[in-house]
Amino acid sequence: MGAPMSTATPAPPTRQDRTASDASGSGVPRRTRDTRRMWATVWRRRALYLMILPGAVYFLIFKYLPMGGLAIAFQDYRPFLGFSGSEWVGFDHFIRLFTEDTFFLLLRNTLTISFLLLVFAFPVPIILALLINEVRLRFVKRSVQTIIYLPHFMSWVIIVSLFYVMLTTDGGSINNVIVAAGGEPISFLTDPAWLRPMYVMQEIWRNAGWGTIIYLAAITTVDTQLYESAAIDGAGRLRQAWHITLPAIRPTIIVLLILNIGDFLELGFEHMFLVMNSLNREVGEIFDTYVYNTGIVNGQFSYAAAVGMFKGIVGLILVVLANRLARRFGEEGVY
Amino acid sequence: MRRNQLPAIAGTAACALVLTACGGDGGGSGGGEGAEKDTISWMSVVHTPTTPETDGVIESALQDYTGMEIEFQWVPAANADEKINSALASDSLPDLVDLGNITNTTVRQAMTQGQFWEVEEYLSEFDNLSQIPPETIESAKINGTLYGVPKQKPMARYGVLVRQDWLDNLGLEVPHTIEELTEVAIAFAEDDPDGNGKDDTTGFYDREESFQLGFRSLAGYFGAGQRFELNDAGEVIPSFTTDAWKEAMEWYRSLYDKGAINKEFVTLQKQNQYDGIYQGKGGIVVTGLFEARGFYEGGLAADPDTTMEWALINDMTYDDVPRRILTDTNGGMGGWFAIPRSTVETEEELRVVLGFIDSLLDEEPFTLMTNGIEGDHFEFDDDGVVSILDQTKWEQEVQPFASSRPSDLVVTFPSAQPYVDLGNELMEENAEYVVLNPAQSLTSETFDARWSVIEQQANDAYNQYMMGQIDMDQYEATIDALGGEGLDQIVEEFTAAHAEANG
């Protein structure tokens, strides 16, 4: 998940300000008093702040400091000349991005796939979690859970290779079945029309089981008395799930949804890179693969950085918007 | 890949991929206070599925011979470009970099911007390096400057390999013309050449790099040039725009439509292609003539009872086009061993690294990297014929080093392995008919900046045409559109450079 903001904000909580302003009015300037109070609080809770430290340092070093590298998006970066020696070109790379045809292709492909994932892949773990929750036998429940987690631990390389072997028209098992049933072989791997369904199904297969963990954890917090009283009132299992379980895990769903929306342009490079080839590139090329191809393969580092930065900014805006929306509807949001 | 700062990505990629690059940088390049340099970190490309283990027998033997501590950073051939690019971007280069793709835009820019040492003036100081033929040095230059030690290869290694046992089963002759080859390909697809009663064979067994390798070589028989060619108007044009190339495409497509090429070759990876060949799925491979030996060994490993035999063909011709063969080695130049200025800082250190390359050109290290250790991997019989003792062991411990040899041509060993001697002989014959790239030593700024992107699009269009997604008109339209993306300018600049170079 890609929204590393908020976790690292070390600023003192808002409660501090409120208490400070309530008590204000005496001769000492407010600001100094606030600062002093703040440090006093920090000192009093030093153990807690000490515990934050490793996390804060991690984000600082691995997330915030590297952002300095974004500067190359405004340069014509040449490795040999380095940061200091490369020429500054202002917004040239962004202008190029927004004026090239590829931009709309990338935007369309990325949005389409993200949207498909949101519609088809996002609800699957919720449904799965509800189903698993209803299973009576502990043994069956545990085995099912373990088995559906498994794909999450396989790398995309393995998964895509498995699918390759099954889907190829050169003797792939699925096509063999289709042919045996009297059909025409389908070129799943090269037909642009099949790329998106294949992509979404692979995503579901790999991540749905893993995604259930959080929902199952949320479900365990539901007060069992609620179910008992609902049962007394004559509610069946379906009604119980609809009126008790689902509302109970709604905050979890919302939080995950917001985080998901933050990743809307951030599909991840690996999966698409592996299933894409020159025949389905027109529907498969997304921002992540484009950054890789232009940046790493073709060595246009600055341009690739500009594309990546654009993607990041859009992601940030989306998270903020989604969060606002969630709060407006009375949910908690992620911050 | 969460946030998107490229340096971070490139940096971590370089770290992760090159393994020792980040951690071992300090140790690798050492040598501050005039201390004699005694370690060489070497980024080397492997064409085999596995890399040899660190400090394995060959590596130790090489260290003993050269007196240098060698730190290999192995890079699989399929990812060589991206790994070299990220190493360049993050400046985490080792002492010695094996650069095989001479058209890689980033590499060329890095060279002309001075990221690597200019080596020409030093070569004469070394016994072996001074012997590199002047033609090889010429073809290795960019803008008239030599930025790395050229790797010496045979002029042209490609040819057509055809399953001899299948030909025999069907009563066909070894094909020597494209017309005959067409017949054989179709027969292999339709007439059950392996006699197992199943429709499980095809003619050509190609892979995703068809545009760059297999098909490109075939198009050469039709008269297409080596990447670029000089047309009648005196222009230097890319060969994928020529009529001969398109004629070859139409021919290849017609074979594809008849099922005489494996169906999804545009997605097939090298190792899967080899597995398919070993298992007898296809009977024609356009590849290096030296591959026949590996195919045979692989076939034997897949099925000890195999009847596999290969016909090696180096004299394929088409219609009235005279016999010719496109070079797969840039005319005997398989890339550079380049030495970065950032890690090798002084001339003394440069001489040490060059001396290291020079010593690898001696016969003993060449033998080590070709055959392995005598008595352990191979043995000589009384006539000096080499036989490999344990094929698997050789493949794991020795073969990966073969592509790191600064020259393939130090000694030609007679071999007990079938096809090796024949392959060597046929590759030598190729030299006489070789077609070279007229643009190779010419300069075009646009080429250096944009070629990778343009070639990618042409490659995509080729694949789409082969799979029937687009027709020839659309292929031509795509190629025309490339003109506006810099191709016209490349042609202009090369043509001007060519005119200047040739008076």
Side-chain angles (χ1 to χ4, degrees), chain A residues 266 278 281 292 296-297 308, chain B residues 2 4 82 85 113 460 463:
Chain A
E266 195 105 4
S278 46
R281 196 187 300 280
Y292 166 83
I296 308 284
V297 179
Chain B
R2 308 275 179 278
N4 345 293
E82 75 177 70
N85 285 352
Q113 283 163 11
D460 281 359
N463 283 349

Side-chain angles (χ1 to χ4, degrees), chain A residues 162-234:
Chain A
L162 286 176
F163 275 84
Y164 183 93
V165 174
M166 289 192 288
L167 295 178
T168 175
T169 50
D170 276 333
S173 44
I174 291 186
N175 268 312
N176 283 349
V177 171
I178 294 176
V179 173
E184 282 287 301
I186 301 170
S187 26
F188 296 104
L189 299 169
T190 53
D191 187 343
W194 274 101
L195 179 74
R196 287 167 182 154
M198 187 171 73
Y199 185 93
V200 172
M201 281 190 288
Q202 288 169 346
E203 285 282 347
I204 293 176
W205 188 75
R206 181 178 192 231
N207 290 328
W210 183 252
T212 58
I213 292 182
I214 295 175
Y215 295 116
L216 283 170
I219 289 173
T220 53
T221 63
V222 181
D223 191 346
T224 44
Q225 291 181 20
L226 288 173
Y227 292 112
E228 283 160 20
S229 47
I232 291 168
D233 288 345

